[in-house]
Amino acid sequence: MSNSLKEAYEYVCNTFFPRFDRQKEWIAKYSSKIPGQGLCDRNNKIIFVERIISDIELLLILIHEICHAVTSNDHGRKWQNRLLKAAELAAKIGQRELSKILKDEIKMYQNTVRTYVEVVYNSIEDCLIDLPQSSYATIIKYVAKYYGFYPEEFERRFKRCRKVYEEQKRILS
């Protein structure tokens, strides 16, 4: 394909995200100063891409970052569902290699999210081992703060907090 960034960006937008950026407010730019291969700056409406990459990597990164632009900054369920939609469309239009890479990326993030959730719940258990007399509110406040959440937000995101706490309490009794 060997397209310029602008051509690749337009192709991805037109093919995979036809309703995205109808006002043409977003741009794609190369940058060697980003922490990875791509970055979605939602505030400034810029998709950053690392300079030295192959054609298929360029498409992958653009799709990945535009999925952030249309869903959220994390790699959660909404983002994964949108990436899956792009993967299915890639397969449908004959871009099987791109489809496979996108699906592999989804699997990688699903495994990462599962592991992260397990680590969070293990943190609740570990706190109770260290501080067995602590109340649920105290443990949640501490663990939530450690992971960068307010307690209410933390409990909304990790719905099994109370159950994990109570099970660990029972074990320690």
Side-chain angles (χ1 to χ4, degrees):
M1 181 165 98
S2 233
N3 288 331
S4 72
L5 176 58
K6 184 176 191 257
E7 290 169 334
Y9 176 74
E10 288 174 2
Y11 169 77
V12 166
C13 287
N14 292 335
T15 305
F16 297 96
F17 304 93
R19 294 188 324 225
F20 170 68
D21 194 26
R22 288 182 179 166
Q23 307 302 318
K24 304 292 183 203
E25 298 173 327
W26 285 75
I27 60 168
K29 288 173 87 170
Y30 282 118
S31 175
S32 59
K33 297 178 179 166
I34 57 176
Q37 290 185 309
L39 179 74
C40 174
D41 180 345
R42 295 172 83 180
N43 294 329
N44 296 307
K45 298 184 178 182
I46 302 172
I47 302 293
F48 289 103
V49 177
E50 188 177 52
R51 190 167 293 281
I52 305 169
I53 52 178
S54 70
D55 290 341
I56 196 142
E57 287 175 311
L58 178 57
L59 295 178
L60 169 67
I61 291 164
L62 289 170
I63 292 169
H64 176 119
E65 299 306 333
I66 295 172
C67 282
H68 284 303
V70 300
T71 62
S72 66
N73 285 330
D74 64 32
H75 297 105
R77 191 169 289 135
K78 286 181 184 177
W79 178 87
Q80 291 172 21
N81 287 341
R82 188 56 187 92
L83 196 65
L84 179 58
K85 187 176 175 182
E88 290 169 346
L89 181 57
K92 190 175 178 179
I93 62 173
Q95 293 210 20
R96 288 176 180 36
E97 183 182 2
L98 178 60
S99 177
K100 183 189 177 323
I101 292 169
L102 291 168
K103 287 178 181 178
D104 288 346
E105 182 141 327
I106 294 165
K107 287 177 192 168
M108 180 192 72
Y109 282 107
Q110 286 172 336
N111 292 336
T112 301
V113 168
R114 253 185 241 117
T115 302
Y116 175 67
V117 170
E118 289 172 19
V119 168
V120 167
Y121 290 136
N122 287 340
S123 297
I124 295 170
E125 293 171 350
D126 292 345
C127 280
L128 266 171
I129 290 169
D130 293 340
L131 305 163
Q133 302 307 318
S134 296
S135 69
Y136 174 76
T138 301
I139 295 291
I140 294 307
K141 184 178 178 183
Y142 175 79
V143 176
K145 184 176 181 181
Y146 178 81
Y147 286 101
F149 292 94
Y150 292 109
E152 303 79 29
E153 177 186 20
F154 183 78
E155 288 178 291
R156 270 196 313 274
R157 184 169 183 136
F158 302 99
K159 299 187 184 326
R160 293 188 322 115
C161 290
R162 171 106 27 211
K163 184 177 180 183
V164 169
Y165 172 86
E166 289 172 0
E167 286 176 2
Q168 187 65 13
K169 271 296 229 198
R170 223 178 356 266
I171 292 167
L172 294 173
S173 307

